[in-house]
Amino acid sequence: MIPQEFVPTENSKEFKKKLREKVLRLKKERNAYIVAHNYQNYEVQEVADILGDSLALSKAAIGTGADMIVFCGVDFMAESAKILNPEKTVILPVREADCPMALMVTAERLREKKKEYPAAAVVCYVNSSAEVKAESDIACTSSNAVEVVKSLPHKQIIFVPDKNLGHYVQRFCPEKEIILWQGFCTTHIRVTAQDVLRTKEKSPDAPFIAHPECPPDVIDLADFVCSTSGFSSYVGKSPADTFIIGTEVGIIFKLKKDHPTKRFIMPTEQFVCQTMKMTTLGWVAHALETGEHAIEIPEPVRRRAETTLKRMMEVSKDHPNAVIASY
């Protein structure tokens, strides 16, 4: 429960101010490092030590000297942080903040699929559980998935769990047989080609930037396809002043902060990840105060999952920007 003194009153501005002060005080007292994904609520992004994509945040926490990592995101992200930082306490502020896509594949079902395709390599998107990573040969992110798949000698690739990212990879790897898992992002699947076309009619000069988790017919309409870390970079290099944003609405906070003179349009009001939005300032304060919802991973699983992640990092070591983009 959030302490009574922090229950919202009519003076919500004072309420938020008190919560922010409490979070900053507890962060110092606990020697904690707060990381927040680009899709988080704006108030959470404002108190974070670092903003970014899930794997970038997990890696960034290495060597910070912090005793505690408070991961403001969803469960698989906090797990990745624990996999790469086993000696640290990793807290997920809201235990129920899971990733529907990650839940669409289990280690048991993946083992069954591997029996069907014994010659195939398993490439898992980082949007997967520690147990699934432990059953995979190598991980990938949305920006390095093509590079990872091309690096493998295998002709058959079991790609889990996102079928849309797998479709996108297949475009660039015609020499491979991509065996798609039928998972998907419940947020990105909501945007349709019709949504994009209607938006383009109203703003014909605005480039459409799409995340590769979007459906294939939406990707076909994109001027540029990238992971969340690539959006700001593209906007910064483009001469356009208005952009259609094909990913979760939380990224608008960072885009406006990075490019205050630019304008950003969402093609659909449905671009909201509800589990990402579960984390609030109140829950961050609660996590810092109580240490609740610490991530625990059995060591044999953690070690195998770490190998899967590190293989990916080795492939992309000469392309650091490719490694940081993940969700």
Side-chain angles (χ1 to χ4, degrees), residues 28-103:
K28 185 175 181 179
E29 291 175 2
R30 301 288 191 268
N31 189 26
Y33 191 69
I34 300 177
V35 294
H37 191 272
N38 288 326
Y39 295 165
Q40 285 291 291
N41 287 300
Y42 303 158
E43 62 189 31
V44 174
Q45 293 191 35
E46 288 178 329
V47 298
D49 292 291
I50 183 171
L51 298 174
D53 298 314
S54 61
L55 194 60
L57 300 176
S58 299
K59 290 178 62 186
I62 300 173
T64 62
D67 297 318
M68 175 188 291
I69 300 170
V70 178
F71 209 116
C72 302
V74 291
D75 53 0
F76 79 83
M77 300 178 182
E79 282 189 342
S80 293
K82 185 65 176 180
I83 290 166
L84 296 173
N85 301 273
E87 77 291 351
K88 297 185 185 296
T89 298
V90 178
I91 303 293
L92 181 66
V94 180
R95 178 72 271 180
E96 296 77 14
D98 55 26
C99 173
M101 182 205 296
L103 294 173

Side-chain angles (χ1 to χ4, degrees), residues 73-203:
V74 291
D75 53 0
F76 79 83
M77 300 178 182
E79 282 189 342
S80 293
K82 185 65 176 180
I83 290 166
L84 296 173
N85 301 273
E87 77 291 351
K88 297 185 185 296
T89 298
V90 178
I91 303 293
L92 181 66
V94 180
R95 178 72 271 180
E96 296 77 14
D98 55 26
C99 173
M101 182 205 296
L103 294 173
M104 293 177 188
V105 58
T106 64
E108 181 180 6
R109 289 179 60 206
L110 179 54
R111 284 192 291 268
E112 292 173 0
K113 181 65 71 174
K114 288 163 68 174
K115 291 177 183 177
E116 294 180 37
Y117 299 93
V122 178
V123 177
C124 70
Y125 192 17
V126 292
N127 298 41
S128 56
S129 68
E131 289 80 7
V132 168
K133 288 182 176 71
E135 290 292 333
S136 302
D137 294 294
I138 190 169
C140 75
T141 69
S142 56
S143 69
N144 69 13
V146 172
E147 180 186 15
V148 165
V149 169
K150 283 183 175 292
S151 76
L152 299 172
H154 306 72
K155 294 301 182 183
Q156 287 185 321
I157 305 294
I158 299 172
F159 193 94
V160 298
D162 185 15
K163 63 180 181 180
N164 288 328
L165 180 57
H167 273 298
Y168 182 73
V169 170
Q170 185 71 84
R171 296 177 186 225
F172 300 94
C173 302
E175 74 282 6
K176 308 277 189 180
E177 178 188 359
I178 308 294
I179 301 158
L180 298 175
W181 199 268
Q182 294 303 305
F184 55 89
C185 172
T186 56
T187 299
H188 287 95
I189 202 74
R190 296 174 193 160
V191 67
T192 67
Q194 290 72 27
D195 292 330
V196 176
L197 290 171
R198 280 195 295 268
T199 308
K200 279 180 168 286
E201 285 181 5
K202 296 176 182 178
S203 302

